[in-house]
Amino acid sequence: MPKIKSCRGASKRFKRNAAGNYKRGQSHLRHILTKKSSKRKRQLGDMLEVDANDVRMVRRMLPYS
């Protein structure tokens, strides 16, 4: 049985943590930053956990993570 390829885009976007969950970055931090408050931009820099509804899809895209 050949190895399964990982989705390269997903491997750059999601990381698995020690608990077995996946973390992800947030959007809206690339441009049009002048109208966003410092607090909002700071909070957007934090990583979040992938929602439980999407974990199955992420796990399928990253079979060896």
Side-chain angles (χ1 to χ4, degrees):
M1 185 65 98
K3 293 181 185 176
I4 304 168
K5 286 192 175 184
S6 296
C7 179
R8 300 311 293 158
S11 65
K12 296 168 190 176
R13 287 172 172 83
F14 304 106
K15 301 292 177 208
R16 192 166 188 180
N17 61 18
N21 302 320
Y22 292 92
K23 58 183 183 179
R24 64 170 178 85
Q26 297 187 61
S27 60
H28 305 293
L29 200 57
R30 293 290 184 194
H31 61 100
I32 315 176
L33 299 174
T34 53
K35 65 173 79 169
K36 295 171 187 156
S37 67
S38 297
K39 178 182 177 181
R40 183 173 167 196
K41 288 185 280 191
R42 186 171 60 248
Q43 289 177 341
L44 285 171
D46 296 337
M47 300 291 274
L48 292 179
E49 212 169 273
V50 173
D51 192 70
N53 296 317
D54 299 321
V55 169
R56 184 172 170 229
M57 181 173 56
V58 174
R59 192 178 295 132
R60 190 171 172 195
M61 288 190 284
L62 302 172
Y64 300 109
S65 65

